Amino acid sequence: MSRLQGFGALFTLAALIWVIAPTPGATQSTELPAVKALHAKVAAGCENQANETRSVETRVVCDRLLRVGLRGDYPRFAEIGPAGATGFEADVAREIAARLDVALEAVEVTPVNRISKLGEGEVDLVIATMGHNTQRDPTVHFLRPHYFQSETIVVGAGDQTPLAWEDLEARLVCTTVGNYSNVILAPDVGRLMLFSRSQQLIDALLNEMCPLIAQDDTLLLPLVSSETEPSRFERKLGFAPVPWGMAMPLGISDEMAAAMSEILKEMHRDGSFLRLARKYDVPVAFLTEEQERWQSAECRAAPESCLSPPLNVQLARSPVAGLGARFESALKARLGIEVRLGFMESDVAWRLFLGGLGTSMLAVSLALMATTLVGLSIGKMLVSPIWLLRALAKSVLTVFQNAPVMLVLVVMGTLTVWTFSYSYSSAMLAAILAIAGMNGSFAGAAVAEAYRITEAREGTSRFMRALSLSSAQVDSYLINAVRGISAASVVGVPDLVNALNGITAFSGSQTFYYWLLVLFYIVAVLFAAQLTRRGLSRILPSEGAVS
């Protein structure tokens, strides 16, 4: 009987140990001193603070709810569907909420709005594939240690020739808005096309809209590695490895920061990050190294020395950065308008802006001259006594007057690439030929129509009289050529549209840049109108001579 009682006591003791023992990787946060300190400080004042003035830590602890911003379209990491949030980052969010002893609310965010949602108080924490770099440090409070690491890779069709970094200056590369590596890509890529969501980017590659795409390797590796069949795509380049960081709003308390940091350290030590990464087939090389690091005696004794720094992408200030800041302040103080002049902040953005502005001014000038030349040539050929010239002019007229603008641009771009290979010069040639061909054809046809109803007079040729009669129409087609040259970026001309697109990729302020483009082309059209009218008035006969 005593032996049975002994076995019973042992069994009871084992059961008790099993119940109270923490499950590996699921340690409750209240056991951590930093989390206890957070709850002790905040809980006492839960009844005394109004909802609109509460801090992040007060909302989290008092409401017992952690609102976490997660991507909704990032396979293996975070996807949000009818069944809720799934993926590595979604499970990491659940683990953190459990260790804080609060409930979890998943909020979908995108690369475009994830930081703004933190600032506006819509989420308390962002775990959304966000690289921690020095450019983002002033905007949010990044938590360390980091929970993942990736690099940006360029992926293209498997049958393409190998690419060097220098080759990108003649290529179209697609990426997503807000990707940290855009500041490196934008100055060196022929043309950058931006998408708001990663799935749109992948679809553009699959549908052959984009020959090359650039994004985190975690997103694109499934495209280039298949265990069942040969992949259609291959990795071309890799650059800018970056640690991923979780972020909270600026101004969180020291207790909140310490509690979150201690949770992340413990999740590295006990293997929670590794366990969740393996669950979703996420690369574990970085997490394995981090576990060894945080289990070491050195990091337990001096944890601050083991925190990895952010990727340094701090941009050199432009020579007009101070002027831009003063202009922003003046607009806000006098008109109440908040605007960010991102193109004036950094040296790389300012150089892109000046280069694009110069190219656009050159394109406008060339478009005016080429449209004038084409218009006069077509007009002369249409009224020529030589049948072959008239037939040739009518053929050109038929093509340019009936084909869509974008189709003409694409065809011209393809023909110039076949003839000269791609370069900025060949792209500019294609754009000028397309825009001047279309508007010059219409201008030439107007001159030819006027020619048929005029007669030669002493001292004035019949053609010049016809040109004078059709001058208003010719003027309108010249102005239309100036407006149309804004489409030059379609064939890869590094004009202002392309430059501002590149700046937007890493500095935001997309809406402002659209207004800046509108302003530029309004000024360009007004200038072109004055220039053409003065030019025509000098070379054409007076109204009295015509009448």
Side-chain angles (χ1 to χ4, degrees):
M1 189 71 177
S2 60
R3 201 175 277 183
L4 287 174
Q5 288 176 339
F7 281 130
L10 286 173
F11 177 79
T12 303
L13 180 61
L16 182 62
I17 292 173
W18 180 83
V19 168
I20 65 173
T23 303
T27 305
Q28 291 299 310
S29 66
T30 50
E31 296 178 0
L32 297 174
V35 178
K36 284 184 177 180
L38 172 67
H39 279 269
K41 178 185 177 182
V42 175
C46 283
E47 304 296 331
N48 301 326
Q49 294 194 28
N51 288 335
E52 60 272 12
T53 61
R54 295 194 304 172
S55 62
V56 173
E57 54 269 18
T58 302
R59 285 200 306 267
V60 172
V61 174
C62 296
D63 294 348
R64 301 187 68 80
L65 179 67
L66 180 68
R67 300 169 302 166
V68 180
L70 297 168
R71 298 283 294 272
D73 61 347
Y74 210 93
R76 298 186 297 165
F77 283 83
E79 294 178 286
I80 299 178
T86 60
F88 171 65
E89 290 183 330
D91 279 8
V92 166
R94 291 187 182 94
E95 189 84 12
I96 291 173
R99 293 171 185 247
L100 280 173
D101 197 22
V102 298
L104 172 71
E105 179 185 331
V107 180
E108 185 171 355
V109 298
T110 69
V112 178
N113 66 21
R114 57 192 172 190
I115 290 180
S116 63
K117 280 186 178 290
L118 269 178
E120 293 163 5
E122 295 183 35
V123 296
D124 306 311
L125 173 68
V126 164
I127 312 176
T129 68
M130 186 159 63
H132 182 190
N133 60 57
T134 51
Q135 194 178 32
R136 288 176 176 155
D137 255 340
T139 60
V140 292
H141 181 104
F142 275 96
L143 303 172
R144 293 189 295 168
H146 302 116
Y147 71 98
F148 199 72
Q149 179 175 284
S150 68
E151 68 171 351
T152 298
I153 61 173
V154 178
V155 170
D159 57 355
Q160 291 183 355
T161 55
L163 283 178
W165 184 262
E166 294 74 22
D167 298 330
L168 294 179
E169 68 178 5
R171 297 300 184 99
L172 164 66
V173 179
C174 301
T175 185
T176 51
V177 177
N179 194 29
Y180 74 97
S181 62
N182 291 347
V183 68
I184 302 171
L185 271 178
D188 294 333
V189 169
R191 182 180 168 219
L192 205 61
M193 183 181 291
L194 302 176
F195 293 85
S196 59
R197 293 182 175 272
S198 54
Q199 190 55 52
Q200 294 173 339
L201 181 70
I202 293 174
D203 290 341
L205 178 68
L206 296 174
N207 298 332
E208 300 182 359
M209 180 191 298
C210 293
L212 297 169
I213 64 174
Q215 245 293 347
D216 286 334
D217 55 0
T218 53
L219 178 71
L220 301 185
L221 281 178
L223 290 175
V224 301
S225 58
S226 174
E227 298 178 358
T228 56
E229 58 184 17
S231 177
R232 291 169 51 193
F233 308 103
E234 65 183 14
R235 179 185 184 277
K236 300 294 184 181
L237 294 169
F239 62 99
V242 62
W244 290 14
M246 303 178 194
M248 299 189 78
L250 292 173
I252 62 171
S253 67
D254 292 341
E255 289 80 7
M256 187 72 194
M260 294 298 293
S261 180
E262 193 59 39
I263 289 173
L264 299 185
K265 293 169 189 172
E266 193 64 23
M267 288 178 69
H268 277 301
R269 289 192 192 104
D270 65 25
S272 294
F273 282 124
L274 268 174
R275 172 174 53 84
L276 296 175
R278 291 190 178 110
K279 176 181 176 181
Y280 292 99
D281 196 26
V282 168
V284 297
F286 169 79
L287 294 175
T288 302
E289 293 176 1
E290 286 295 290
Q291 184 184 40
E292 294 175 358
R293 182 206 299 259
W294 290 104
Q295 285 180 342
S296 67
E298 294 82 359
C299 289
R300 288 180 183 273
E304 293 300 317
S305 65
C306 293
L307 295 175
S308 303
L311 176 69
N312 187 7
V313 291
Q314 200 63 42
L315 302 177
R317 283 169 57 86
S318 75
V320 295
L323 177 62
R326 289 194 295 273
F327 191 64
E328 290 173 2
S329 300
L331 283 176
K332 184 176 181 180
R334 297 181 182 181
L335 302 177
I337 299 174
E338 290 192 35
V339 65
R340 180 187 174 193
L341 304 179
F343 68 96
M344 299 177 72
E345 292 176 358
S346 64
D347 187 60
V348 62
W350 182 241
R351 284 189 286 108
L352 277 173
F353 175 76
L354 291 181
L357 181 63
T359 302
S360 286
M361 293 174 66
L362 176 62
V364 167
S365 303
L366 292 176
L368 282 172
M369 291 187 288
T371 302
T372 302
L373 181 61
V374 171
L376 293 175
S377 300
I378 293 293
K380 272 285 189 184
M381 292 169 68
L382 285 172
V383 299
S384 172
I386 302 174
W387 173 86
L388 184 60
L389 290 179
R390 293 200 307 274
L392 180 60
K394 288 179 180 178
S395 300
V396 172
L397 203 61
T398 301
V399 171
F400 282 111
Q401 285 188 336
N402 294 285
V405 178
M406 289 301 174
L407 179 61
V408 174
L409 277 167
V410 171
V411 170
M412 284 295 182
T414 303
L415 290 176
T416 53
V417 168
W418 283 350
T419 306
F420 304 108
S421 76
Y422 179 85
S423 66
Y424 290 158
S425 299
S426 66
M428 179 71 82
L429 177 63
I432 297 302
L433 288 176
I435 299 300
M438 297 193 74
N439 292 284
S441 295
F442 282 100
V447 174
E449 288 293 329
Y451 185 89
R452 294 186 179 94
I453 61 173
T454 59
E455 296 179 357
R457 294 285 179 89
E458 185 178 349
T460 307
S461 72
R462 185 178 177 183
F463 185 80
M464 291 300 290
R465 285 168 55 81
L467 183 59
S468 181
L469 282 175
S470 61
S471 61
Q473 290 173 286
V474 171
D475 185 40
S476 67
Y477 289 124
L478 287 171
I479 292 172
N480 198 53
V482 174
R483 289 199 299 263
I485 203 63
S486 61
S489 60
V490 171
V491 291
V493 175
D495 61 354
L496 190 59
V497 176
N498 204 22
L500 291 179
N501 193 48
I503 296 169
T504 299
F506 59 85
S507 70
S509 306
Q510 197 168 25
T511 303
F512 169 75
Y513 292 142
Y514 288 150
W515 282 109
L516 191 63
L517 282 172
V518 170
L519 178 63
F520 170 80
Y521 280 105
I522 287 175
V523 172
V525 166
L526 291 174
F527 173 77
Q530 290 296 320
L531 185 65
T532 55
R533 284 165 191 161
R534 289 189 179 187
L536 288 172
S537 66
R538 292 195 176 193
I539 64 173
L540 295 178
S542 64
E543 292 184 7
V546 173
S547 60

